Amino acid sequence: MKKIVLLVALTCVGAFAADGADIYKKCAACHGAKAEKKYLNKVPALVDIDPAQRLADMKAYKAGTL
């Protein structure tokens, strides 16, 4: 039973990781393949921003407030 639960969990994680990689392809043009580039000298490299702050910034950007 534990093996089945583990297999299902790993499958789900792999599916979400693939979705994230596909989504980031749109961002990579400006932010770089490894998120190392600054965007228009206004947005710091994504790897330099705290993950919680990055998430908050992306939500604000989506809402149109950033």
Side-chain angles (χ1 to χ4, degrees):
M1 182 67 176
K2 289 182 182 180
K3 290 181 182 179
I4 293 172
V5 172
L6 181 60
L7 180 62
V8 170
L10 289 175
T11 303
C12 291
V13 168
F16 287 121
D19 291 342
D22 288 339
I23 292 170
Y24 186 74
K25 287 179 184 177
K26 296 175 186 176
C27 306
C30 298
H31 291 290
K34 296 181 182 178
E36 76 284 2
K37 293 182 181 178
K38 292 182 179 181
Y39 179 66
L40 296 176
N41 290 323
K42 295 180 182 179
V43 178
L46 297 178
V47 294
D48 296 338
I49 303 172
D50 176 59
Q53 182 62 44
R54 191 176 343 145
L55 180 60
D57 289 348
M58 285 189 288
K59 288 179 179 179
Y61 178 79
K62 185 176 179 181
T65 59
L66 180 65

